Amino acid sequence: MPDSTAVPSLTPIRGNLGLAVAMGMGRFFYTPALPLMVAALHWSSAPGAWIATLNYVGYFVGTLVIAQGWVEPNRFVYRLSLIVSTVGLAAVALTPNLIWQGGIRTIAGIASGLIFVCVTQRIPANSRRPRDGGISYGGVGFGILVSGAIVLAAGSFADWRQLWLICTAVSAIFSIIAWTWPIPARIPQNPTPTEAAAPTESANPTETNTDDPAEAVTPFAANRRRAMAILSTGYFFQGGGYIIIGTYLVVLAGPVFGTTAAASTWLIAGIATAASPLTWSAVAARIGTVKALTVCYCLQVFGALLAVFGSSPVVLIIAAALFGFTFIGVVMMTIGVGTQMGVANASAKLTSWYSIGQIVGPAIVAAALSEHIAAAFVASAIALAIAMVLTLVGVLTGNVGR
């Protein structure tokens, strides 16, 4: 009996650490490290914004190549991406050259996107207990927590290069544990890779291909496509709004906490993010996905507005906690709504729009608001409010009952 349960019990932990490598460190270590890099390299806000944008472009490419079936989310791709993500952290420390930094962060984004899809598409198949999915998704928050802790603990004696190398070492350890996340060596060609990895996206096999011209003429299919288009547009604004907070929260906290201690806000965000998946799963089960999603969005908008008035540590800590507590909740529940509509590859399609929003958000800040970070948070709140309205309209149009 112990032998049969020991290995499955470790599976969600492997998924957790895989997402920690991809997201918490591979993508988001840049956030707490940025104030120290800005201070040491005498950057303005614009270079950081453009480098962040390139990272999000890479992430979009990583998710797109799988969504389009150009790359299989198989064991080789997953493990190679773990290596590339970890090596990419060390590569940042080699030179502050902006072209190099942008190129490395683009490659790191591709690796992060590939890992994210390889892990999340296998979560339903690898979950033996209801809470296993929440544990795996919690890796995003755990990785954010670790990235903030590294800067907070070592930022007073290590320079920016050494911080990236410390993060590399931690990422390598996590990658070794995450290496054996159960994932096929080959993905069946039919159904599509995304459908094979996420069989819960449609319970009816006749409804798995919305690209079928015959299906498109039915009123049900037309209504479903319309609902998905509205939901996807809302998810685009969600991606753009949330990433502004995720990129600039620590920068906003710098004058209040100091460049090193500002990472404490990222640490708070990580703790809240780690607790978020299990919490929102329970809330959605109790009051329904639609109501839970509405509450989650309202808290997220409030957190963005609160950060604008972040002249005190307490206010910024609350804003950081609200950011961390809501963004993964929105991701989980929005994708859940999309899959309830019976749209083929709903997760991949929504993630693509989300990724585009993540590219546009920092780009707008870099182009127009790089010297007005508070104004960027106002823009974030507006984008999130639009996302909430569109999401609810999409849900009602799709007649999602929960």
Side-chain angles (χ1 to χ4, degrees):
M1 182 69 174
D3 292 339
S4 64
T5 58
V7 174
S9 67
L10 293 176
T11 296
I13 296 175
R14 295 188 179 103
N16 179 291
L17 294 181
L19 289 182
V21 170
M23 309 298 289
M25 289 176 284
R27 289 193 72 200
F28 287 130
F29 184 74
Y30 190 75
T31 298
L34 181 59
L36 282 81
M37 295 178 72
V38 168
L41 302 174
H42 307 291
W43 285 355
S44 66
S45 298
W50 286 117
I51 291 172
T53 299
L54 289 173
N55 182 250
Y56 306 140
V57 170
Y59 181 79
F60 170 69
V61 171
T63 57
L64 182 66
V65 294
I66 291 181
Q68 295 297 318
W70 300 331
V71 173
E72 285 188 348
N74 57 32
R75 188 181 305 154
F76 172 77
V77 170
Y78 169 67
R79 292 178 173 178
L80 177 63
S81 299
L82 287 175
I83 295 171
V84 171
S85 182
T86 300
V87 173
L89 293 170
V92 172
L94 292 179
T95 174
N97 179 274
L98 291 177
I99 295 177
W100 173 265
Q101 292 283 325
I104 289 298
R105 296 303 293 157
T106 302
I107 295 171
I110 294 173
S112 294
L114 292 172
I115 296 171
F116 183 81
V117 174
C118 285
V119 172
T120 57
Q121 288 194 164
R122 294 297 302 172
I123 285 176
N126 292 339
S127 295
R128 301 292 182 89
R129 300 162 298 181
R131 64 181 181 180
D132 285 354
I135 293 172
S136 294
Y137 269 109
V140 178
F142 179 63
I144 290 174
L145 190 158
V146 170
S147 68
I150 290 172
V151 175
L152 193 61
S156 60
F157 61 84
D159 63 19
W160 67 272
R161 296 175 190 267
Q162 293 167 335
L163 289 175
W164 282 97
L165 295 178
I166 293 170
C167 187
T168 302
V170 175
S171 180
I173 294 171
F174 286 5
S175 294
I176 291 171
I177 301 172
W179 191 262
T180 50
W181 168 253
I183 185 170
R186 294 287 299 173
I187 304 297
Q189 293 301 311
N190 289 304
T192 62
T194 303
E195 293 167 342
T200 59
E201 287 193 1
S202 178
N204 185 350
T206 65
E207 295 177 3
T208 57
N209 186 6
T210 57
D211 293 327
D212 187 345
E215 182 185 70
V217 300
T218 67
F220 174 77
N223 184 70
R224 187 175 59 184
R225 288 188 175 189
R226 185 163 51 250
M228 189 63 179
I230 298 171
L231 195 67
S232 297
T233 306
Y235 211 42
F236 163 80
F237 281 98
Q238 160 66 22
Y242 114 88
I243 202 59
I244 292 174
I245 306 173
T247 302
Y248 294 103
L249 180 63
V250 176
V251 175
L252 192 68
V256 178
F257 288 88
T259 54
T260 299
S264 60
T265 57
W266 198 238
L267 192 68
I268 295 296
I271 294 171
T273 307
S276 173
L278 289 174
T279 302
W280 286 111
S281 294
V283 171
R286 185 172 182 83
I287 68 174
T289 301
V290 176
K291 291 180 181 178
L293 191 56
T294 302
V295 173
C296 192
Y297 257 119
C298 289
L299 289 174
Q300 193 176 42
V301 172
F302 177 70
L305 290 174
L306 195 62
V308 177
F309 304 99
S311 57
S312 71
V314 173
V315 171
L316 285 171
I317 287 173
I318 294 173
L322 287 173
F323 163 73
F325 189 62
T326 55
F327 85 89
I328 286 296
V330 168
V331 167
M332 290 179 60
M333 290 186 283
T334 303
I335 290 177
V337 168
T339 57
Q340 285 183 59
M341 292 180 185
V343 176
N345 299 330
S347 176
K349 292 173 181 176
L350 286 168
T351 301
S352 295
W353 282 102
Y354 193 79
S355 300
I356 296 172
Q358 290 180 127
I359 296 168
V360 173
I364 291 175
V365 173
L369 300 172
S370 61
E371 303 303 324
H372 306 281
I373 299 300
F377 277 77
V378 173
S380 171
I382 294 172
L384 293 173
I386 294 172
M388 178 174 65
V389 171
L390 289 172
T391 298
L392 296 178
V393 171
V395 169
L396 294 174
T397 303
N399 295 317
V400 176
R402 292 184 60 203

